[in-house]
């Protein structure tokens, strides 16, 4: 058995803390969007700058979305959907 702990085990431990759980649950949409954007870039062969330009964002704007640290406003989600042609 490896010496390190799996990320899932560490997360399970952290989620026992009510304050951490509230923060974690509060950015679920942001995390999902961040992972989706990273996957979208990979599947479409886009580098970071190309996708940022296509979305009308600067480097920091796309980095913030991909980090998943905060839930984006609904208007941002709708704009991404329109621009990328996805539901």
């Amino acid at each position: 058995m490896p010496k390190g702990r799996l990320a899932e085990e560490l997360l399970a431990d952290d989620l026992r803390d009510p304050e951490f759980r509230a923060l974690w649950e509060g950015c679920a949409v942001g995390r999902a969007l961040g992972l989706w954007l990273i996957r979208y870039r990979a599947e479409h062969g886009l580098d970071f700058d190309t996708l940022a330009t296509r979305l009308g964002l600067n480097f920091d704007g796309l980095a913030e979305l991909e980090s998943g640290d905060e839930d984006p406003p609904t208007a941002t989600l709708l704009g991404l959907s329109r621009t990328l042609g996805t539901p």
Side-chain angles (χ1 to χ4, degrees), residues 14-31:
D14 288 340
L15 289 173
R16 289 187 187 101
D17 175 1
E19 187 175 339
F20 178 85
R21 178 178 285 280
L23 290 171
W24 179 260
E25 291 173 351
C27 61
V29 172
R31 283 193 316 277

Side-chain angles (χ1 to χ4, degrees), residues 28-45:
V29 172
R31 283 193 316 277
L33 175 63
L35 291 171
W36 185 87
L37 284 168
I38 293 166
R39 191 175 312 115
Y40 182 92
R41 278 197 299 115
E43 290 173 356
H44 291 85

Side-chain angles (χ1 to χ4, degrees), residues 46-87:
L46 301 172
D47 63 24
F48 192 91
D49 292 326
T50 301
L51 181 57
T53 300
R54 185 175 292 176
L55 295 174
L57 299 170
N58 61 22
F59 181 93
D60 291 338
L62 182 55
E64 185 176 312
L65 289 175
E66 284 194 359
S67 76
D69 290 339
E70 295 181 10
D71 284 353
T74 302
T76 299
L77 294 173
L78 293 172
L80 292 173
S81 176
R82 267 191 308 275
T83 302
L84 300 176
T86 61

